[in-house]
mmCIF file of all heavy atoms in Angstrom:
data_model
loop_
_atom_site.group_PDB
_atom_site.id
_atom_site.type_symbol
_atom_site.label_atom_id
_atom_site.label_comp_id
_atom_site.label_asym_id
_atom_site.label_seq_id
_atom_site.Cartn_x
_atom_site.Cartn_y
_atom_site.Cartn_z
ATOM 1 N N VAL A 160 -25.402 15.903 -9.575
ATOM 2 C CA VAL A 160 -26.214 15.995 -8.356
ATOM 3 C C VAL A 160 -27.673 15.675 -8.658
ATOM 4 O O VAL A 160 -28.351 14.991 -7.881
ATOM 5 C CB VAL A 160 -26.084 17.399 -7.729
ATOM 6 C CG1 VAL A 160 -27.059 17.565 -6.574
ATOM 7 C CG2 VAL A 160 -24.654 17.624 -7.245
ATOM 8 N N MET A 161 -28.182 16.143 -9.796
ATOM 9 C CA MET A 161 -29.566 15.851 -10.171
ATOM 10 C C MET A 161 -29.774 14.357 -10.384
ATOM 11 O O MET A 161 -30.839 13.817 -10.055
ATOM 12 C CB MET A 161 -29.938 16.617 -11.434
ATOM 13 C CG MET A 161 -30.133 18.111 -11.225
ATOM 14 S SD MET A 161 -31.419 18.474 -9.988
ATOM 15 C CE MET A 161 -32.876 17.776 -10.779
ATOM 16 N N ALA A 162 -28.774 13.681 -10.934
ATOM 17 C CA ALA A 162 -28.875 12.231 -11.110
ATOM 18 C C ALA A 162 -28.999 11.542 -9.751
ATOM 19 O O ALA A 162 -29.783 10.594 -9.591
ATOM 20 C CB ALA A 162 -27.653 11.703 -11.866
ATOM 21 N N CYS A 163 -28.222 12.019 -8.760
ATOM 22 C CA CYS A 163 -28.322 11.466 -7.398
ATOM 23 C C CYS A 163 -29.711 11.697 -6.816
ATOM 24 O O CYS A 163 -30.323 10.784 -6.258
ATOM 25 C CB CYS A 163 -27.276 12.107 -6.497
ATOM 26 S SG CYS A 163 -25.594 11.531 -6.750
ATOM 27 N N VAL A 164 -30.203 12.917 -6.962
ATOM 28 C CA VAL A 164 -31.521 13.264 -6.414
ATOM 29 C C VAL A 164 -32.613 12.432 -7.071
ATOM 30 O O VAL A 164 -33.508 11.904 -6.395
ATOM 31 C CB VAL A 164 -31.797 14.769 -6.616
ATOM 32 C CG1 VAL A 164 -33.233 15.104 -6.214
ATOM 33 C CG2 VAL A 164 -30.809 15.608 -5.804
ATOM 34 N N GLN A 165 -32.544 12.294 -8.393
ATOM 35 C CA GLN A 165 -33.539 11.491 -9.103
ATOM 36 C C GLN A 165 -33.484 10.034 -8.655
ATOM 37 O O GLN A 165 -34.508 9.350 -8.602
ATOM 38 C CB GLN A 165 -33.295 11.582 -10.617
ATOM 39 C CG GLN A 165 -33.645 12.929 -11.223
ATOM 40 C CD GLN A 165 -35.111 13.268 -11.061
ATOM 41 O OE1 GLN A 165 -35.993 12.464 -11.367
ATOM 42 N NE2 GLN A 165 -35.385 14.464 -10.555
ATOM 43 N N GLY A 166 -32.287 9.567 -8.326
ATOM 44 C CA GLY A 166 -32.165 8.202 -7.839
ATOM 45 C C GLY A 166 -32.905 7.982 -6.535
ATOM 46 O O GLY A 166 -33.543 6.944 -6.335
ATOM 47 N N PHE A 167 -32.836 8.973 -5.641
ATOM 48 C CA PHE A 167 -33.550 8.865 -4.371
ATOM 49 C C PHE A 167 -35.061 8.989 -4.563
ATOM 50 O O PHE A 167 -35.846 8.355 -3.861
ATOM 51 C CB PHE A 167 -33.062 9.939 -3.402
ATOM 52 C CG PHE A 167 -31.646 9.746 -2.948
ATOM 53 C CD1 PHE A 167 -30.696 10.732 -3.153
ATOM 54 C CD2 PHE A 167 -31.257 8.571 -2.332
ATOM 55 C CE1 PHE A 167 -29.381 10.555 -2.751
ATOM 56 C CE2 PHE A 167 -29.943 8.382 -1.920
ATOM 57 C CZ PHE A 167 -29.006 9.371 -2.133
ATOM 58 N N VAL A 168 -35.469 9.795 -5.538
ATOM 59 C CA VAL A 168 -36.896 10.016 -5.783
ATOM 60 C C VAL A 168 -37.533 8.826 -6.486
ATOM 61 O O VAL A 168 -38.640 8.405 -6.162
ATOM 62 C CB VAL A 168 -37.106 11.304 -6.613
ATOM 63 C CG1 VAL A 168 -38.586 11.451 -7.006
ATOM 64 C CG2 VAL A 168 -36.643 12.527 -5.831
ATOM 65 N N HIS A 169 -36.821 8.262 -7.471
ATOM 66 C CA HIS A 169 -37.371 7.171 -8.286
ATOM 67 C C HIS A 169 -36.639 5.867 -8.015
ATOM 68 O O HIS A 169 -36.170 5.201 -8.940
ATOM 69 C CB HIS A 169 -37.274 7.535 -9.768
ATOM 70 C CG HIS A 169 -37.981 8.804 -10.131
ATOM 71 N ND1 HIS A 169 -39.346 8.931 -10.113
ATOM 72 C CD2 HIS A 169 -37.489 10.017 -10.503
ATOM 73 C CE1 HIS A 169 -39.682 10.163 -10.474
ATOM 74 N NE2 HIS A 169 -38.577 10.851 -10.706
ATOM 75 N N ARG A 170 -36.532 5.498 -6.779
ATOM 76 C CA ARG A 170 -35.803 4.287 -6.402
ATOM 77 C C ARG A 170 -36.450 3.031 -6.984
ATOM 78 O O ARG A 170 -35.786 2.016 -7.188
ATOM 79 C CB ARG A 170 -35.747 4.151 -4.873
ATOM 80 C CG ARG A 170 -34.984 5.256 -4.182
ATOM 81 C CD ARG A 170 -34.933 5.012 -2.677
ATOM 82 N NE ARG A 170 -34.079 3.883 -2.375
ATOM 83 C CZ ARG A 170 -32.791 4.007 -2.052
ATOM 84 N NH1 ARG A 170 -32.222 5.192 -2.017
ATOM 85 N NH2 ARG A 170 -32.073 2.951 -1.768
ATOM 86 N N GLU A 171 -37.766 3.086 -7.244
ATOM 87 C CA GLU A 171 -38.455 1.894 -7.724
ATOM 88 C C GLU A 171 -38.007 1.523 -9.139
ATOM 89 O O GLU A 171 -38.197 0.387 -9.579
ATOM 90 C CB GLU A 171 -39.972 2.113 -7.704
ATOM 91 C CG GLU A 171 -40.518 3.123 -8.728
ATOM 92 C CD GLU A 171 -40.350 4.574 -8.252
ATOM 93 O OE1 GLU A 171 -39.840 4.762 -7.145
ATOM 94 O OE2 GLU A 171 -40.760 5.487 -9.002
#
Side-chain angles (χ1 to χ4, degrees):
V160 172
M161 287 302 297
C163 285
V164 173
Q165 289 298 310
F167 292 122
V168 174
H169 302 291
R170 296 182 70 95
E171 69 279 359

